[in-house]
Amino acid sequence: MRRTSFADWPCSIARTMDLLGDWWTPLVLREAFYGIKRFDAFQQELGIARNTLTDRLRRLVDEGLLEKRAYQSEPVRYDYVLTEKGRDFFGVLAAMNSWGNRWLSGDEGPPVVFHHDRCGHEAAAEVVCAHCKEPMTAADTRARIGPGYPARLAERPDIQERFSR
């Protein structure tokens, strides 16, 4: 079955999901944040099929989230290192971890917690306004049409109604 591409949709969430594609891709990125760099280590930690891992790593390199760096020349072998774009994905994973710790942990507690080195405490991701630094919630935040939204769609009455609430 062919997958619908969301790469050109006027929605950053849809575009991000198009890049992620499946459940393996965020897990590969998670392992990169945990310090995994080598193909065999990714494969061992995730238990992922080699062909699937090859596809995911290739996609992450092509999209600029990981960079291949040769560490051996005969045969050529690579480390997969997070780029600036890849490191910037940390907030997404931290938010997913916080939500999962709150809603999916069993009685024994969360399986992974983050430690914030700057303040020395366990920390959970929180979405805050970049301007006022106050927490953002669905109740006090709404989506608006941005400058990159296609003008031909922005003129439709149903779109105007959706974004005027």
Side-chain angles (χ1 to χ4, degrees), residues 58-141:
R58 183 181 305 120
R59 174 88 189 233
L60 290 168
V61 168
D62 290 349
E63 293 291 341
L65 281 85
L66 293 176
E67 175 183 87
K68 287 170 68 170
R69 293 186 187 159
Y71 69 87
Q72 178 179 309
S73 59
E74 295 290 330
V76 177
R77 297 204 189 275
Y78 297 95
D79 280 337
Y80 293 88
V81 181
L82 289 161
T83 63
E84 179 183 1
K85 185 177 180 180
R87 289 187 303 273
D88 203 36
F89 195 76
F90 174 76
V92 177
L93 293 177
M96 291 171 69
N97 191 68
S98 291
W99 186 87
N101 283 352
R102 178 173 180 193
W103 295 104
L104 303 176
S105 292
D107 293 337
E108 60 280 355
V112 174
V113 295
F114 290 140
H115 178 84
H116 188 225
D117 291 338
R118 281 196 180 165
C119 72
H121 291 92
E122 285 187 4
E126 182 178 88
V127 178
V128 298
C129 173
H131 179 74
C132 70
K133 308 300 184 216
E134 291 292 319
M136 291 175 61
T137 68
D140 62 18
T141 306

Side-chain angles (χ1 to χ4, degrees), residues 37 53 112:
K37 293 182 174 142
L53 179 58
V112 174

Side-chain angles (χ1 to χ4, degrees), residues 1-7 14-22 59:
M1 179 183 350
R2 281 187 66 107
R3 185 174 70 84
T4 300
S5 174
F6 300 124
R15 290 174 181 176
T16 301
M17 293 309 300
D18 189 75
L19 180 132
L20 296 177
D22 65 285
R59 174 88 189 233

Side-chain angles (χ1 to χ4, degrees), residues 24 28 42-53 56:
W24 285 118
V28 170
F42 281 111
Q43 203 275 325
Q44 180 180 337
E45 291 300 316
L46 294 171
I48 184 175
R50 295 180 73 80
N51 63 325
T52 302
L53 179 58
R56 297 321 176 267

